[in-house]
Amino acid sequence: MECAARGFGTRCVGPPARRCGQCGAVAYCSVSHQTSHWRYHKEECERLEEQMRRVDLLNDFPFTFTEEATVQVSQKQQSRCSFLSRRDLHHVGMWMYECNCGASAQNSAYDSFKNEGWNLPSSSCPCRGPISPVLSQLCSWTDYYEWRKIPLDSPVALLLHWTLTIYHAIQAVGMENLTPQISNELRIHYLGPQKELGQLGVFAELHSLFPGLRIRVELVGPDVPQHMDGEMISLCGYSPCMEKECECKYSSKILIPGNESARSSAVSLQLHRGFYHDRYSDIAKNSPPPHIVIAPNAGIAAYPSWLPTIELIKEIKVRAVFSDYCEEACHLAACCIKTITGQSLSLPIKLNPFRQPMAVEESPLFIPCYSNCFIFAI
């Protein structure tokens, strides 16, 4: 947490111990900073006050570890590191990118896609296909865990929120609206991947969520390492559990772009370095247009590079779903989108039931933030 007036004028004089008396969502280092910042804060204060009333809803998860991962992390009684350490997952495989001290790994180039597993018992992770197909729409983590026969003490939702958010985004805009365009392949353009680049194995779960379809995902963003630009990855199986005797096998492997076996696999991923508006024409040369664009934790209001991307999305007339860490970030994004396109959101801001069930550390607000917390669409 930092002073809400930091960077607006004079230097902060101490920790932000003085919270706004009306909304309670922001804090200041001094009375003078709170007074000088009011002309900016007054436009958001009532809105933030309303969002603070929904804190309990944000923290509502069905897991046995919910209190530890939400309230205790938000109040700094626990940390992501301590949560993972207690489960022997700290700095292990795909879990490496889930804490601040593991973030340094993000800054170094990924060597290549690795066959990382869950590092969990088979009973606690989706290392094999489901016992039965999805018979009705999944609407919560409880639905998903019951379907996949996973106990509610399993932390796999911390990684699976990427794929379940894709599933929820497609359901939210109306799978029936996309179905006429889909024959046997679902094409997704996925914008701005970051830590997902070290967790690509979780995307294999799309095969379970969309049975009978080949899934082709183009991951496009500036964080894709240069040496992985254009790399094709075929996920032919699920991420394995830690048990040697389990029947699960992980057969994903790296395939060069254009390899036909990659195109015919259950889930294929292709990586593209750069911004979507710069790379779209290259992608379009080798693949038909996407059925949907998905941008997790987009931060539209924070990055000017979104302006030409949103203009492109409007031009190619494709549904696009965005997510962000908090409702306020989504509100600011909606304002930017309306300025750029002249249109309101086609899907209003909604809480994502498949948001990551662990609070973001060092949030700029007292409102708890979660990865993929809210979604909206144009």
Side-chain angles (χ1 to χ4, degrees):
M1 176 64 65
E2 61 183 28
C3 176
R6 183 175 180 269
F8 281 82
T10 57
R11 181 177 299 178
C12 290
V13 298
R18 184 181 180 85
R19 291 174 69 165
C20 173
Q22 181 172 329
C23 71
V26 298
Y28 300 90
C29 66
S30 64
V31 174
S32 61
H33 269 203
Q34 184 174 7
T35 302
S36 64
H37 190 250
W38 174 246
R39 67 179 185 273
Y40 301 101
H41 180 57
K42 64 182 179 181
E43 297 180 4
E44 64 182 9
C45 188
E46 184 175 347
R47 193 168 61 244
L48 289 174
E49 182 182 10
E50 180 64 27
Q51 293 172 27
M52 284 289 284
R53 295 193 186 105
R54 296 192 283 271
V55 165
D56 288 344
L57 183 61
L58 295 181
N59 291 337
D60 184 20
F61 294 98
F63 306 107
T64 60
F65 55 80
T66 293
E67 177 76 10
E68 179 186 357
T70 61
V71 176
Q72 292 181 18
V73 169
S74 295
Q75 296 177 354
K76 298 185 179 180
Q77 298 169 2
Q78 300 289 344
S79 68
R80 286 176 168 246
C81 292
S82 62
F83 180 93
L84 295 171
S85 293
R86 271 192 290 276
R87 292 159 177 82
D88 296 322
L89 297 173
H90 194 229
H91 283 184
V92 175
M94 297 188 293
W95 302 94
M96 184 182 302
Y97 308 97
E98 288 306 316
C99 61
N100 290 334
C101 69
S104 59
Q106 261 183 268
N107 298 324
S108 62
Y110 302 96
D111 294 332
S112 63
F113 173 66
K114 298 178 182 178
N115 297 343
E116 301 284 9
W118 288 106
N119 294 99
L120 292 167
S122 61
S123 60
S124 296
C125 62
C127 61
R128 293 164 289 181
I131 296 174
S132 61
V134 179
L135 298 178
S136 60
Q137 184 173 330
L138 304 175
C139 299
S140 67
W141 279 120
T142 300
D143 288 349
Y144 174 78
Y145 269 54
E146 288 180 351
W147 170 56
R148 289 300 251 140
K149 309 301 180 185
I150 299 172
L152 289 174
D153 62 353
S154 170
V156 291
L158 269 66
L159 303 185
L160 284 169
H161 72 105
W162 301 118
T163 47
L164 269 295
T165 293
I166 292 174
Y167 169 84
H168 181 64
I170 291 173
Q171 300 298 327
V173 300
M175 185 67 179
E176 66 277 6
N177 296 326
L178 299 177
T179 301
Q181 309 167 36
I182 301 172
S183 54
N184 60 354
E185 181 179 69
L186 173 60
R187 296 184 297 276
I188 301 167
H189 286 188
Y190 187 98
L191 312 188
Q194 293 181 320
K195 66 170 63 176
E196 304 98 301
L197 296 170
Q199 301 169 340
L200 294 176
V202 302
F203 284 82
E205 188 63 9
L206 291 172
H207 181 47
S208 292
L209 295 165
F210 300 102
L213 290 176
R214 294 198 308 268
I215 313 295
R216 182 178 175 89
V217 186
E218 310 286 345
L219 296 100
V220 190
D223 287 298
V224 173
Q226 185 66 57
H227 71 276
M228 294 181 75
D229 185 18
E231 187 166 296
M232 179 80 79
I233 298 167
S234 174
L235 300 178
C236 304
Y238 298 91
S239 292
C241 66
M242 65 190 300
E243 298 172 6
K244 294 181 179 180
E245 67 274 14
C246 181
E247 65 186 50
C248 67
K249 294 181 180 179
Y250 190 70
S251 56
S252 295
K253 55 188 176 181
I254 297 171
L255 299 170
I256 60 173
N259 190 310
E260 289 306 314
S261 59
R263 295 180 183 276
S264 62
S265 67
V267 179
S268 62
L269 314 174
Q270 187 163 20
L271 308 181
H272 307 271
R273 178 178 173 84
F275 294 114
Y276 189 55
H277 52 270
D278 292 328
R279 297 306 310 270
Y280 178 77
S281 59
D282 295 333
I283 298 170
K285 291 177 184 176
N286 301 309
S287 175
H291 296 114
I292 191 168
V293 170
I294 295 175
N297 302 323
I300 289 175
Y303 300 103
S305 56
W306 275 111
L307 192 155
T309 289
I310 292 171
E311 290 178 336
L312 170 64
I313 291 171
K314 181 183 178 182
E315 179 185 335
I316 62 178
K317 298 179 180 179
V318 62
R319 297 300 296 272
V321 181
F322 304 85
S323 75
D324 222 315
Y325 291 98
C326 66
E327 189 174 357
E328 183 62 14
C330 296
H331 170 80
L332 296 174
C335 294
C336 292
I337 288 171
K338 190 165 186 178
T339 299
I340 296 169
T341 66
Q343 299 173 353
S344 299
L345 301 177
S346 61
L347 176 72
I349 299 166
K350 294 182 180 295
L351 185 65
N352 177 13
F354 297 108
R355 60 198 179 278
Q356 187 184 46
M358 179 175 284
V360 174
E361 294 178 306
E362 302 300 330
S363 167
L365 300 172
F366 281 98
I367 303 172
C369 295
Y370 295 95
S371 182
N372 288 321
C373 194
F374 288 86
I375 69 167
F376 56 96
I378 58 175

